[in-house]
Amino acid sequence: MIRHMFKLIWNRKRRNYLLISEIFFSFVVLFAVSTFALFTGIRLSEPLGFDYEDVLVVQTNYEDAQQTDSLSEREVKDIMATMERELRSCREVVDVAWGSSNLPWAGSMWRTSYIYDGIERDYSIHYVSDHFADVMTMPLLEGRWFNADDDAAAITPIVINRKVCETTFGDKPAIGQIITDDDDETPVDFVVIGVVDEYRYRGEMEVSEPSIFFRRTHEDSLTLYAGTALVKVRPDAGVGFQKTITDRLAEISHGWIIGVEALEDARNESLRNIKINALPGVIVALFLVFNVALGLFGILWYSVSRRRGEIGVRRAAGALAAHISWQIIGEALVMATFAILVGIILAIQVPLLDIQPQISTAIYLLAMICSSLMIYMIVAVCAMYPSRLAARIQPAEALHDE
Amino acid sequence: MIDLTHVEKVYRTSTIETLALKDINLRINPGAFLSIMGPSGSGKSTLLNIMGLLDDPTGGQVQVDGQQIANMKDDEMARLRNRRIGFVFQSYHLINDLTVVDNVEMPLLYRKSTSAERRQKALAALDKVGLSARTRHFPTQLSGGQCQRVAIARAIVGEPQIILADEPTGNLDSVMSDEILDILMNLNKNEGTTIVMVTHNQQMAEKTERIVRLCDGSQVD
């Protein structure tokens, strides 16, 4: 029976060309939407590598303030240290750390290339203080985080994330490996002292990238200063505490503070923007699929009324009502199969040509399966009513009408 | 084989009631070749449809192959049609998008059989009607006579005991009509198939064993 349907649709391919094309375009749109949805879903379910809850971000504009107020480097560092002491004195504060401006969801990146084993690779770099891992609840896979012992280190210590291990060291143990910066005349070596898991600081939608953490203290040069404070607060701190911090630090710093924001709010804002950006695509996809469904429904209905004679003959030859019903649904599914096959040939080019390296082949394959199933479901639902109409056709009437 | 007792058929709409058949009593024995004649609108096709289980009578009893159809469900009648009855229509009713052999195979799709069995039986049926050379053609590539031969092959492919032919030569010239009648007569004579043929053609009807005449829904002869 299935072969019979394939023959029938193949022989009617010219008549069904437009409908098959329409289903094909729907498949392509659904494939794009499914890929995005699966990619997003998987990204959202993967660990970020840190905890954003109960963390406040205190942004300072020390660089501008330094110029305006003609403060010396020493004075700036002293004010920073005083701010930290003030924060730590608050009952609501659990811990305080400092970081460079490319903090989670800050929308800022800092990339550079270093050499390992003669090969230059790109890394995302982060300047952070000794308490950064505690404030951000970043578990260490190996080694240790920065501490005061590193003040006397002969080689600059670095902490890396797992991605660096995978991309740079392969199977070799990471601790003790040396990465070199040879941008300047005198190459500078960095030694790995610790490995954290992930650090997806650009948010859930971004893949994990190789990240290297460098240690910064209040005594370091202001050139590469970690000037944004991260404050871990108690869960009961409340929203009002942000205002308290703003006021108290503004007093100490003579107005350096430009904003205090919960890290969770920054995350929610980022997710909201993703949803807003995705909305037009989803609306267009739904509109197209709805149009295809309507078109398909209309064409199948019309086709049933045009094929009354054929249905009458089939009934006369012994077809049960269920056979006729299945014939109509089956033919629609066969048309969908032709459209999906062409769609898959096109869709498979995306992973083959590596158009979006961030998205794995498995996601593309899953998206192909999902969009195929959705197309089959839509087509079957659209064919349901026309197929019931066809099954109700009385053979004597149908043959007489012809 | 086919037994009609006091069969009546009334078509009803909200405003009008039309009596298409009135008190038809007819017994058709196995192996018979019978013609039904009558003017247009006399109820010939309606009678044939009732015999072929394509339509229900509004009164009376119909027995086909010893089975009373009054209490039969739609699916049971479809199965009985598939196994016992073959139809030939004036306008052939072939599916233009299927080849000749696929058209002939069609009734076998609705019973248990393998694709090879279906193909073998369809080719044998086409051989019987002299169309072995046209199996891959489409109906639009055939003449009217050839189309009707395909329709006969489709009717006999399931080896039914009864063939109901509704004006099988109505669209054909006299030469082709004779050819079609010869095929039907051979089936009747050689294979013992019971044939009921509706026709307007007196000469053709006279070649069959028995003629039943209808007028205004009543049996007059």
Side-chain angles (χ1 to χ4, degrees), chain A residues 35-36 39 43 205-207 349-361 363-364:
Chain A
T35 304
F36 176 74
F39 177 70
R43 285 279 164 275
M205 290 304 291
E206 299 297 329
V207 290
Q349 305 306 314
V350 182
L352 286 178
L353 297 173
D354 207 13
I355 290 170
Q356 269 292 347
Q358 281 196 331
I359 301 174
S360 70
T361 307
I363 290 180
Y364 286 123

Side-chain angles (χ1 to χ4, degrees), chain B residues 1-4 27-28 30 53 61-70 72 80 84-85 161-162:
Chain B
M1 176 69 33
I2 300 176
D3 209 348
L4 308 180
R27 188 181 179 88
I28 303 167
L53 317 181
Q61 289 187 338
V62 178
Q63 265 193 15
V64 174
D65 204 17
Q67 296 183 58
Q68 193 68 248
I69 66 151
M72 263 189 193
L80 190 62
R84 300 279 185 254
I85 306 170
Q161 288 147 347
I162 306 163

